[in-house]
Amino acid sequence: MSGDRTTMLAHLRGSIERVETHSDTYAPDRVPLGHAEADAALKGGLARGALHEVFCEGRQSAAATGFIAGLARRISPDRPLLWIRQDFAERETGALAMSGWNELGLDPRGLVTVRAPDVETALCTTADALACDALGGVVLESFGESRQFDLVASRKLTLAARGSGVTALLLRVAAMPTASTAETRWIVRSAHSPPGNAWQVWGAPMLDAQLVRNRHGPNGQWIMEWKSDECVFREATYAQPVPATAAHRPPAAAAHAQRRAG
């Protein structure tokens, strides 16, 4: 029994070493998002069969959910998407609305949701799901900080995604980024709609998407529109960035804002 365990550990160490040693020569299949500047930074588009992370503040969960749903649609439009949600995430942000899913141009029939009681179960379920190459992608959504999302867990998900070719998408709400083997890491917020009356400016969802980690290219920040009819990201016709909240500004700016408020 001990011999089998030693062999398994040696195999896992070898796989991890190959991920880390050959990451620069790894050439995954890529799918364009449709946003020219973002696709250029991504060397042609988002990598399939890889791990990608999306972070957001708690109040920005709807924007990040729409963004990650759009990524999943671009990656694999013809295969089912498995969305694994930590129970606490659903209590904090609400259930996924199929009416909203449909308004984004996505087919609710291709979405399968799984509720996990805790982070450990969610991670194990995600790793198991990534082994199923019938899926187009697997989303793991969690809320808040969690020590379970460490480098070891990230490596396991990366290996599983590469082994099957199924893309892993992590949605981390109200959490801070930590070390990982993710191909990309995004921070997403909603962006301003064009000025005018609500009935006049109603249109494509506007997203402030910041690429803060890109293993094979530069980082960047863009105001994107999600075109529901085409299911593609485009350059925003009205690109007005959203000011950072006091908690996310540099310390001097935050202190100045606090003094003015007082």
Side-chain angles (χ1 to χ4, degrees):
M1 190 70 173
S2 60
D4 293 341
R5 183 177 181 183
T6 301
T7 301
M8 181 181 68
L9 288 173
H11 177 72
L12 181 59
R13 288 193 184 101
S15 298
I16 292 172
E17 184 177 356
R18 286 192 294 274
V19 169
E20 296 177 337
T21 303
H22 303 294
S23 60
D24 292 336
T25 59
Y26 177 59
D29 182 30
R30 296 182 180 273
V31 59
L33 302 183
H35 188 286
E37 291 185 7
D39 286 334
L42 295 168
K43 305 301 182 183
L46 203 70
R48 287 192 175 107
L51 173 65
H52 303 277
E53 298 174 333
V54 176
F55 285 80
C56 70
E57 302 171 25
R59 61 180 180 157
Q60 298 290 345
S61 60
T65 297
F67 178 74
I68 212 166
L71 295 184
R73 174 60 174 77
R74 295 298 302 161
I75 287 169
S76 185
D78 302 321
R79 293 189 179 186
L81 171 67
L82 182 65
W83 196 297
I84 301 165
R85 306 190 81 201
Q86 176 194 2
D87 272 348
F88 188 67
E90 183 154 318
R91 289 197 294 270
E92 288 292 323
T93 62
L96 295 174
M98 293 303 98
S99 58
W101 198 263
N102 191 58
E103 288 181 6
L104 290 175
L106 310 176
D107 187 355
R109 295 172 298 179
L111 175 66
V112 180
T113 59
V114 174
R115 290 178 59 181
D118 49 51
V119 173
E120 293 88 346
T121 304
L123 283 168
C124 290
T125 305
T126 302
D128 291 342
L130 287 171
C132 177
D133 58 11
L135 296 172
V138 179
V139 175
L140 169 57
E141 178 185 354
S142 68
F143 190 98
E145 303 291 352
S146 177
R147 60 179 177 80
Q148 287 85 356
F149 284 98
D150 58 12
L151 190 57
V152 173
S154 176
R155 285 168 173 165
K156 288 180 180 178
L157 296 182
T158 294
L159 289 171
R162 288 194 182 180
S164 64
V166 178
T167 306
L169 301 167
L170 265 60
L171 176 54
R172 303 290 310 282
V173 182
M176 294 296 294
T178 57
S180 79
T181 58
E183 181 79 10
T184 65
R185 176 182 294 151
W186 303 78
I187 297 176
V188 176
R189 297 185 296 162
S190 59
H192 286 299
S193 296
N197 295 324
W199 65 272
Q200 292 177 320
V201 301
W202 182 269
M206 303 279 287
L207 301 168
D208 183 342
Q210 185 178 7
L211 178 62
V212 297
R213 174 186 172 88
N214 184 7
R215 291 180 69 89
H216 297 93
N219 297 335
Q221 185 172 7
W222 306 278
I223 306 297
M224 297 182 177
E225 290 182 347
W226 171 252
K227 298 297 188 181
S228 301
D229 293 336
E230 308 166 60
C231 288
V232 68
F233 293 98
R234 295 295 189 199
E235 293 85 353
T237 54
Y238 175 79
Q240 179 65 40
V242 180
T245 59
H248 291 81
R249 295 176 195 160
H256 179 67
Q258 188 174 7
R259 285 196 299 272
R260 291 189 63 185

